[in-house]
Coordinates of all heavy atoms in Angstrom, one line a residue:
M1 N 20.0 -3.8 -10.5 CA 18.6 -3.4 -10.5 C 17.7 -4.5 -9.8 O 18.0 -5.6 -10.1 CB 18.1 -3.0 -11.9 CG 16.7 -2.6 -11.9 SD 16.1 -1.7 -13.3 CE 17.0 -0.2 -13.2
K2 N 16.8 -4.1 -9.0 CA 15.9 -5.0 -8.4 C 14.9 -5.6 -9.3 O 14.5 -5.0 -10.3 CB 15.1 -4.3 -7.2 CG 16.0 -3.9 -6.1 CD 15.1 -3.3 -5.0 CE 16.0 -2.8 -3.9 NZ 15.2 -2.2 -2.8
S3 N 14.5 -6.8 -9.0 CA 13.5 -7.5 -9.8 C 12.1 -7.0 -9.5 O 11.9 -6.3 -8.5 CB 13.5 -9.0 -9.6 OG 13.0 -9.3 -8.3
K4 N 11.1 -7.3 -10.3 CA 9.7 -6.8 -10.1 C 9.2 -7.4 -8.8 O 8.6 -6.7 -8.0 CB 8.9 -7.3 -11.3 CG 7.4 -7.0 -11.1 CD 6.6 -7.5 -12.3 CE 5.1 -7.2 -12.1 NZ 4.3 -7.5 -13.3
V5 N 9.5 -8.6 -8.5 CA 9.1 -9.2 -7.2 C 9.6 -8.5 -6.0 O 8.9 -8.2 -5.1 CB 9.4 -10.7 -7.2 CG1 9.2 -11.3 -5.8 CG2 8.7 -11.5 -8.3
E6 N 10.9 -8.2 -6.1 CA 11.6 -7.5 -5.0 C 10.9 -6.1 -4.8 O 10.7 -5.6 -3.7 CB 13.1 -7.3 -5.2 CG 13.8 -8.6 -5.2 CD 15.3 -8.4 -5.6 OE1 15.5 -7.7 -6.6 OE2 16.1 -9.0 -4.9
M7 N 10.6 -5.4 -5.9 CA 10.1 -4.1 -5.8 C 8.7 -4.1 -5.3 O 8.3 -3.3 -4.5 CB 10.1 -3.4 -7.2 CG 11.6 -3.1 -7.6 SD 11.7 -2.3 -9.2 CE 11.6 -0.6 -8.6
L8 N 7.9 -5.1 -5.7 CA 6.5 -5.2 -5.2 C 6.5 -5.6 -3.7 O 5.7 -5.2 -2.9 CB 5.7 -6.2 -6.0 CG 5.3 -5.7 -7.4 CD1 4.6 -6.8 -8.2 CD2 4.6 -4.4 -7.4
T9 N 7.5 -6.4 -3.3 CA 7.7 -6.8 -1.9 C 8.0 -5.6 -1.1 O 7.5 -5.4 0.0 CB 8.7 -7.9 -1.7 OG1 8.3 -9.0 -2.5 CG2 9.0 -8.2 -0.3
E10 N 8.9 -4.7 -1.6 CA 9.2 -3.5 -0.9 C 8.0 -2.6 -0.7 O 7.7 -2.0 0.3 CB 10.3 -2.7 -1.6 CG 10.9 -1.6 -0.8 CD 12.2 -1.1 -1.4 OE1 13.0 -1.9 -2.0 OE2 12.5 0.1 -1.3
L11 N 7.2 -2.5 -1.8 CA 5.9 -1.7 -1.7 C 5.0 -2.3 -0.7 O 4.4 -1.5 0.1 CB 5.2 -1.7 -3.1 CG 3.9 -1.0 -3.1 CD1 4.0 0.4 -2.8 CD2 3.2 -1.2 -4.5
R12 N 4.9 -3.6 -0.6 CA 4.0 -4.2 0.4 C 4.5 -3.9 1.8 O 3.7 -3.6 2.7 CB 4.1 -5.8 0.3 CG 3.2 -6.3 -0.9 CD 3.2 -7.8 -0.9 NE 2.5 -8.3 -2.1 CZ 1.2 -8.4 -2.2 NH1 0.5 -8.0 -1.2 NH2 0.7 -8.9 -3.3
T13 N 5.8 -3.9 2.0 CA 6.4 -3.5 3.3 C 6.1 -2.0 3.7 O 5.7 -1.7 4.8 CB 7.9 -3.7 3.3 OG1 8.2 -5.1 3.0 CG2 8.5 -3.3 4.6
M14 N 6.2 -1.1 2.7 CA 5.9 0.3 3.0 C 4.4 0.4 3.3 O 4.1 1.2 4.2 CB 6.3 1.1 1.7 CG 7.8 1.3 1.5 SD 8.2 2.5 0.3 CE 7.5 1.8 -1.2
L15 N 3.6 -0.3 2.6 CA 2.1 -0.2 2.8 C 1.8 -0.7 4.2 O 1.0 -0.1 5.0 CB 1.3 -0.9 1.8 CG 1.3 -0.2 0.4 CD1 0.8 -1.2 -0.7 CD2 0.4 1.0 0.4
A16 N 2.4 -1.8 4.6 CA 2.1 -2.4 5.9 C 2.5 -1.5 7.0 O 1.8 -1.3 8.0 CB 2.8 -3.8 6.0
D17 N 3.7 -0.8 6.8 CA 4.1 0.2 7.8 C 3.2 1.3 7.9 O 2.9 1.8 9.1 CB 5.5 0.7 7.4 CG 6.6 -0.4 7.6 OD1 6.4 -1.4 8.2 OD2 7.7 -0.2 7.1
V18 N 2.7 1.9 6.8 CA 1.8 3.0 6.9 C 0.5 2.7 7.5 O -0.1 3.4 8.2 CB 1.7 3.8 5.5 CG1 0.8 3.1 4.6 CG2 1.3 5.2 5.8
F19 N 0.0 1.5 7.1 CA -1.3 1.1 7.7 C -1.2 0.8 9.2 O -2.1 1.1 10.0 CB -1.9 -0.2 7.0 CG -2.3 0.1 5.6 CD1 -2.0 -0.8 4.6 CD2 -3.1 1.2 5.3 CE1 -2.5 -0.6 3.3 CE2 -3.5 1.4 4.0 CZ -3.2 0.5 3.0
M20 N -0.1 0.3 9.6 CA 0.2 0.1 11.1 C 0.3 1.4 11.8 O -0.2 1.6 12.9 CB 1.4 -0.8 11.3 CG 1.6 -1.2 12.7 SD 3.0 -2.4 13.1 CE 4.0 -2.3 11.7
A21 N 1.0 2.4 11.2 CA 1.2 3.7 11.8 C -0.2 4.4 11.9 O -0.5 5.0 12.9 CB 2.1 4.5 10.9
K22 N -1.0 4.2 10.9 CA -2.4 4.8 11.0 C -3.2 4.2 12.1 O -3.8 4.9 12.8 CB -3.1 4.7 9.6 CG -4.4 5.3 9.6 CD -5.1 5.2 8.2 CE -6.5 5.8 8.3 NZ -7.2 5.6 7.0
A23 N -3.1 2.9 12.2 CA -3.9 2.2 13.2 C -3.4 2.6 14.6 O -4.2 2.6 15.6 CB -3.8 0.7 13.0
S24 N -2.1 2.9 14.8 CA -1.6 3.2 16.1 C -1.7 4.7 16.4 O -1.3 5.1 17.5 CB -0.1 2.8 16.2 OG 0.7 3.6 15.3
G25 N -2.3 5.5 15.5 CA -2.6 6.9 15.8 C -1.4 7.8 15.6 O -1.3 8.8 16.2
Q26 N -0.5 7.5 14.6 CA 0.6 8.4 14.3 C 0.1 9.8 13.9 O -1.0 9.9 13.4 CB 1.5 7.8 13.3 CG 2.3 6.6 13.7 CD 3.4 7.0 14.7 OE1 4.0 8.1 14.5 NE2 3.6 6.2 15.7
Q27 N 1.0 10.8 14.0 CA 0.6 12.1 13.6 C 0.4 12.2 12.1 O 1.0 11.5 11.3 CB 1.8 13.1 13.9 CG 2.1 13.2 15.4 CD 3.3 14.1 15.7 OE1 4.0 14.4 14.8 NE2 3.5 14.4 16.9
Y28 N -0.6 13.1 11.8 CA -1.0 13.3 10.4 C 0.2 13.6 9.5 O 0.3 13.1 8.4 CB -2.0 14.4 10.2 CG -2.4 14.7 8.8 CD1 -3.2 13.9 8.1 CD2 -1.8 15.8 8.1 CE1 -3.5 14.1 6.8 CE2 -2.1 16.0 6.8 CZ -3.0 15.2 6.1 OH -3.3 15.4 4.8
G29 N 1.1 14.5 9.9 CA 2.3 14.8 9.1 C 3.1 13.6 8.7 O 3.5 13.5 7.5
R30 N 3.4 12.7 9.6 CA 4.2 11.5 9.3 C 3.4 10.6 8.3 O 4.0 10.1 7.4 CB 4.5 10.8 10.6 CG 5.5 11.4 11.5 CD 5.8 10.6 12.6 NE 7.1 10.8 13.0 CZ 7.8 10.1 13.9 NH1 7.2 9.2 14.5 NH2 9.0 10.4 14.2
L31 N 2.1 10.5 8.5 CA 1.3 9.6 7.6 C 1.3 10.2 6.2 O 1.4 9.5 5.2 CB -0.1 9.5 8.2 CG -0.2 8.6 9.4 CD1 -1.7 8.6 9.9 CD2 0.2 7.2 9.1
A32 N 1.1 11.5 6.1 CA 1.1 12.2 4.8 C 2.4 12.0 4.1 O 2.4 11.8 2.9 CB 0.7 13.7 5.0
R33 N 3.5 12.2 4.8 CA 4.8 12.0 4.2 C 5.0 10.6 3.7 O 5.4 10.3 2.6 CB 5.9 12.4 5.2 CG 7.3 12.4 4.6 CD 8.3 13.0 5.5 NE 8.2 12.9 6.9 CZ 7.7 13.8 7.7 NH1 7.4 15.0 7.3 NH2 7.6 13.6 9.0
A34 N 4.6 9.6 4.5 CA 4.7 8.2 4.1 C 3.8 7.9 2.9 O 4.2 7.2 2.0 CB 4.3 7.3 5.3
H35 N 2.6 8.5 2.9 CA 1.7 8.3 1.7 C 2.4 8.9 0.5 O 2.3 8.3 -0.6 CB 0.4 8.9 1.9 CG -0.6 8.1 2.7 ND1 -1.2 7.0 2.2 CD2 -1.0 8.2 4.0 CE1 -2.0 6.4 3.2 NE2 -1.8 7.2 4.3
G36 N 3.1 10.0 0.6 CA 3.8 10.6 -0.5 C 4.9 9.7 -1.0 O 5.0 9.6 -2.3
Y37 N 5.6 9.1 -0.1 CA 6.7 8.2 -0.6 C 6.1 7.0 -1.4 O 6.6 6.6 -2.4 CB 7.5 7.7 0.6 CG 8.4 8.7 1.3 CD1 8.5 8.6 2.7 CD2 9.0 9.7 0.6 CE1 9.3 9.6 3.4 CE2 9.8 10.6 1.3 CZ 9.9 10.5 2.7 OH 10.7 11.4 3.3
I38 N 5.0 6.5 -0.8 CA 4.4 5.3 -1.5 C 3.8 5.7 -2.8 O 4.0 5.0 -3.8 CB 3.3 4.7 -0.6 CG1 4.0 4.1 0.7 CG2 2.4 3.7 -1.3 CD1 3.0 3.7 1.7
D39 N 3.2 6.9 -2.9 CA 2.7 7.4 -4.2 C 3.8 7.5 -5.2 O 3.6 7.1 -6.4 CB 1.9 8.7 -4.0 CG 0.6 8.6 -3.3 OD1 0.1 7.4 -3.2 OD2 0.1 9.6 -2.9
G40 N 4.9 8.1 -4.8 CA 6.0 8.3 -5.7 C 6.6 6.9 -6.2 O 7.0 6.7 -7.3
Y41 N 6.7 6.0 -5.3 CA 7.2 4.7 -5.6 C 6.3 4.0 -6.6 O 6.8 3.4 -7.6 CB 7.3 3.8 -4.3 CG 8.2 2.6 -4.4 CD1 9.6 2.7 -4.3 CD2 7.6 1.4 -4.6 CE1 10.4 1.6 -4.4 CE2 8.4 0.2 -4.7 CZ 9.8 0.4 -4.6 OH 10.6 -0.8 -4.7
M42 N 5.0 4.1 -6.3 CA 4.1 3.4 -7.3 C 4.1 4.1 -8.6 O 4.0 3.4 -9.7 CB 2.7 3.4 -6.7 CG 2.5 2.5 -5.5 SD 1.0 2.4 -4.6 CE -0.2 3.1 -5.6
R43 N 4.2 5.4 -8.7 CA 4.3 6.1 -9.9 C 5.6 5.7 -10.7 O 5.5 5.4 -11.9 CB 4.3 7.6 -9.7 CG 4.4 8.4 -11.0 CD 4.3 9.8 -10.8 NE 4.4 10.5 -12.2 CZ 4.1 11.7 -12.4 NH1 3.7 12.5 -11.4 NH2 4.2 12.2 -13.6
A44 N 6.7 5.5 -10.0 CA 7.9 5.0 -10.7 C 7.7 3.6 -11.2 O 8.1 3.3 -12.3 CB 9.1 5.1 -9.7
L45 N 7.0 2.8 -10.5 CA 6.8 1.4 -10.9 C 6.0 1.4 -12.2 O 6.2 0.6 -13.2 CB 6.1 0.6 -9.9 CG 6.9 0.2 -8.6 CD1 6.0 -0.5 -7.6 CD2 8.1 -0.7 -9.0
L46 N 5.0 2.3 -12.3 CA 4.1 2.4 -13.4 C 4.9 3.0 -14.6 O 4.9 2.4 -15.7 CB 3.0 3.4 -13.2 CG 1.8 2.8 -12.4 CD1 0.8 3.9 -12.0 CD2 1.1 1.7 -13.1
E47 N 5.7 4.1 -14.4 CA 6.4 4.7 -15.5 C 7.5 3.8 -16.0 O 7.8 3.9 -17.2 CB 7.0 6.0 -15.0 CG 5.9 7.1 -14.9 CD 6.4 8.4 -14.4 OE1 7.6 8.6 -14.2 OE2 5.5 9.3 -14.3
L48 N 8.1 3.0 -15.2 CA 9.2 2.1 -15.7 C 8.6 0.8 -16.3 O 9.4 0.0 -16.8 CB 10.1 1.8 -14.5 CG 10.9 2.9 -14.0 CD1 11.7 2.5 -12.7 CD2 11.9 3.4 -15.0
G49 N 7.3 0.6 -16.2 CA 6.7 -0.6 -16.7 C 6.9 -1.8 -15.9 O 6.7 -2.9 -16.4
Y50 N 7.2 -1.6 -14.6 CA 7.4 -2.8 -13.7 C 6.1 -3.4 -13.3 O 6.0 -4.5 -12.9 CB 8.2 -2.4 -12.5 CG 9.7 -2.5 -12.7 CD1 10.5 -1.4 -12.5 CD2 10.3 -3.6 -13.2 CE1 11.9 -1.4 -12.7 CE2 11.7 -3.7 -13.4 CZ 12.5 -2.6 -13.2 OH 13.8 -2.6 -13.4
A51 N 5.0 -2.5 -13.2 CA 3.7 -2.9 -12.8 C 2.6 -2.2 -13.5 O 2.9 -1.1 -14.0 CB 3.6 -2.7 -11.3
T52 N 1.5 -2.8 -13.6 CA 0.3 -2.1 -14.1 C -0.5 -1.5 -13.0 O -0.3 -1.8 -11.8 CB -0.6 -3.1 -14.9 OG1 -1.1 -4.1 -14.0 CG2 0.2 -3.8 -16.0
K53 N -1.4 -0.7 -13.4 CA -2.3 -0.1 -12.4 C -3.1 -1.1 -11.7 O -3.2 -1.1 -10.4 CB -3.3 0.9 -13.1 CG -4.0 1.8 -12.2 CD -5.0 2.7 -13.0 CE -4.6 4.1 -12.8 NZ -5.5 5.0 -13.5
A54 N -3.6 -2.1 -12.4 CA -4.3 -3.2 -11.8 C -3.5 -4.0 -10.7 O -4.0 -4.4 -9.7 CB -4.9 -4.2 -12.8
E55 N -2.2 -4.3 -11.1 CA -1.3 -5.0 -10.1 C -1.1 -4.1 -8.9 O -1.1 -4.7 -7.8 CB 0.0 -5.2 -10.8 CG 0.0 -6.3 -11.9 CD 1.3 -6.4 -12.6 OE1 1.9 -5.4 -12.9 OE2 1.7 -7.6 -12.8
L56 N -0.9 -2.9 -9.0 CA -0.7 -2.0 -7.9 C -2.0 -1.9 -7.0 O -1.9 -2.0 -5.8 CB -0.3 -0.6 -8.3 CG 1.1 -0.5 -9.0 CD1 1.4 0.9 -9.4 CD2 2.2 -1.1 -8.1
L57 N -3.1 -1.8 -7.6 CA -4.4 -1.8 -6.9 C -4.5 -3.1 -6.1 O -5.0 -3.1 -4.9 CB -5.6 -1.6 -7.8 CG -5.7 -0.2 -8.3 CD1 -6.8 -0.1 -9.3 CD2 -6.0 0.8 -7.2
D58 N -4.2 -4.2 -6.7 CA -4.2 -5.5 -6.0 C -3.3 -5.6 -4.8 O -3.7 -6.0 -3.7 CB -3.9 -6.7 -6.9 CG -5.0 -7.0 -7.9 OD1 -6.2 -6.6 -7.7 OD2 -4.7 -7.7 -8.9
V59 N -2.1 -5.0 -4.9 CA -1.2 -5.0 -3.8 C -1.7 -4.1 -2.7 O -1.7 -4.5 -1.5 CB 0.2 -4.5 -4.3 CG1 1.1 -4.2 -3.1 CG2 0.9 -5.5 -5.2
V60 N -2.2 -2.9 -3.0 CA -2.7 -2.0 -2.0 C -3.9 -2.6 -1.3 O -4.0 -2.6 -0.1 CB -3.1 -0.6 -2.6 CG1 -3.8 0.2 -1.6 CG2 -1.8 0.1 -3.1
N61 N -4.8 -3.2 -2.1 CA -6.0 -3.8 -1.5 C -5.7 -5.0 -0.6 O -6.2 -5.1 0.5 CB -7.0 -4.2 -2.6 CG -7.7 -3.1 -3.2 OD1 -7.9 -2.0 -2.6 ND2 -8.1 -3.3 -4.5
S62 N -4.8 -5.8 -1.0 CA -4.4 -7.0 -0.2 C -3.7 -6.5 1.1 O -4.0 -7.1 2.2 CB -3.6 -8.0 -0.9 OG -2.3 -7.4 -1.2
E63 N -2.9 -5.5 1.1 CA -2.2 -5.1 2.3 C -3.2 -4.3 3.2 O -3.1 -4.5 4.4 CB -1.0 -4.2 1.9 CG 0.2 -4.9 1.4 CD 0.6 -6.0 2.3 OE1 0.7 -5.8 3.6 OE2 0.9 -7.1 1.8
R64 N -4.1 -3.6 2.6 CA -5.1 -2.9 3.5 C -6.0 -3.9 4.1 O -6.3 -3.8 5.3 CB -6.0 -1.9 2.6 CG -6.8 -1.0 3.5 CD -8.1 -0.7 3.0 NE -8.8 -1.8 2.4 CZ -9.6 -2.7 3.1 NH1 -9.6 -2.6 4.4 NH2 -10.2 -3.6 2.5
E65 N -6.4 -5.0 3.4 CA -7.2 -6.0 3.9 C -6.5 -6.8 5.0 O -7.0 -7.1 6.1 CB -7.7 -7.0 2.9 CG -8.7 -8.0 3.3 CD -9.3 -8.8 2.2 OE1 -9.6 -8.3 1.2 OE2 -9.4 -10.0 2.4
R66 N -5.2 -7.0 4.8 CA -4.4 -7.7 5.8 C -4.3 -6.9 7.1 O -4.4 -7.4 8.2 CB -3.0 -8.0 5.3 CG -2.1 -8.8 6.2 CD -0.7 -9.0 5.7 NE -0.5 -8.9 4.3 CZ -0.2 -10.0 3.5 NH1 0.1 -11.1 4.1 NH2 0.0 -9.8 2.2
S67 N -4.2 -5.6 7.0 CA -4.1 -4.7 8.1 C -5.4 -4.5 8.8 O -5.5 -4.5 10.0 CB -3.5 -3.4 7.6 OG -3.6 -2.4 8.6
S68 N -6.5 -4.2 8.0 CA -7.8 -3.8 8.6 C -8.9 -4.7 8.4 O -10.0 -4.4 8.9 CB -8.2 -2.4 7.9 OG -7.1 -1.5 8.1
G69 N -8.7 -5.8 7.8 CA -9.8 -6.7 7.5 C -10.5 -6.4 6.2 O -10.1 -5.5 5.5
P70 N -11.5 -7.2 5.9 CA -12.2 -7.0 4.6 C -12.8 -5.6 4.5 O -13.3 -5.0 5.5 CB -13.2 -8.1 4.6 CG -13.2 -8.8 5.8 CD -12.1 -8.3 6.6
A71 N -12.9 -5.1 3.3 CA -13.5 -3.8 3.1 C -15.0 -3.8 3.3 O -15.5 -2.8 3.8 CB -13.2 -3.4 1.6
I72 N -15.7 -4.9 3.1 CA -17.1 -4.9 3.3 C -17.4 -6.1 4.2 O -17.0 -7.2 4.0 CB -17.9 -5.1 2.0 CG1 -17.6 -3.9 1.0 CG2 -19.3 -5.3 2.2 CD1 -18.2 -4.1 -0.3
A73 N -18.1 -5.8 5.3 CA -18.5 -6.8 6.2 C -19.9 -7.3 6.0 O -20.7 -6.5 5.5 CB -18.4 -6.3 7.7
D74 N -20.2 -8.5 6.2 CA -21.5 -9.1 6.1 C -22.4 -8.6 7.3 O -22.1 -9.0 8.4 CB -21.5 -10.6 6.0 CG -22.9 -11.2 5.8 OD1 -23.8 -10.5 5.5 OD2 -23.0 -12.4 6.0
V75 N -23.4 -7.8 7.0 CA -24.2 -7.2 8.1 C -25.6 -7.8 8.1 O -26.4 -7.4 8.9 CB -24.3 -5.7 8.0 CG1 -22.9 -5.1 8.3 CG2 -24.8 -5.2 6.7
T76 N -25.8 -8.8 7.3 CA -27.1 -9.5 7.3 C -27.3 -10.2 8.6 O -26.4 -10.8 9.2 CB -27.3 -10.5 6.1 OG1 -26.2 -11.5 6.2 CG2 -27.2 -9.8 4.8
G77 N -28.5 -10.0 9.1 CA -28.8 -10.7 10.4 C -28.4 -9.9 11.6 O -28.6 -10.3 12.8
A78 N -27.7 -8.8 11.4 CA -27.3 -7.9 12.5 C -28.5 -7.2 13.1 O -29.4 -6.9 12.4 CB -26.2 -6.9 12.1
A79 N -28.4 -7.0 14.4 CA -29.5 -6.3 15.1 C -29.6 -4.8 14.6 O -28.6 -4.2 14.4 CB -29.3 -6.3 16.6
A80 N -30.8 -4.4 14.3 CA -30.9 -3.0 13.7 C -31.2 -2.0 14.8 O -31.6 -2.2 15.9 CB -32.1 -3.0 12.7

């Protein structure tokens, strides 16, 4: 059986792949299927007690930020 670290690393890899596919304009069907795999993987991690909801949110947020940049940009001083 894989360790928690290995399973979270695998989740990070899957998330990175789906964010890259989205950025490159992959077809909706492929993205939807990939999201489904990730959702199922995360549910299994929760149900088996390998990760908490907060840990999974941190993983998703960090991978999304790595892929797309920060969720909120500083817009102060920007031309209106």
Side-chain angles (χ1 to χ4, degrees):
M1 182 162 287
K2 293 182 180 182
S3 71
K4 177 179 179 175
V5 172
E6 291 172 320
M7 294 182 88
L8 290 178
T9 300
E10 191 165 330
L11 176 60
R12 285 182 185 279
T13 302
M14 289 190 297
L15 287 165
D17 289 347
V18 79
F19 289 137
M20 188 173 18
K22 182 178 179 185
S24 69
Q26 288 291 322
Q27 295 176 351
Y28 175 78
R30 288 183 148 188
L31 289 173
R33 189 171 29 257
H35 279 285
Y37 291 143
I38 291 170
D39 288 347
Y41 195 82
M42 289 177 18
R43 181 175 179 166
L45 290 174
L46 284 170
E47 289 181 358
L48 292 171
Y50 277 125
T52 64
K53 190 182 244 184
E55 288 173 317
L56 294 177
L57 286 173
D58 285 342
V59 169
V60 172
N61 286 333
S62 67
E63 286 305 313
R64 193 214 44 82
E65 186 172 320
R66 185 186 330 249
S67 168
S68 305
I72 300 175
D74 181 15
V75 293
T76 57

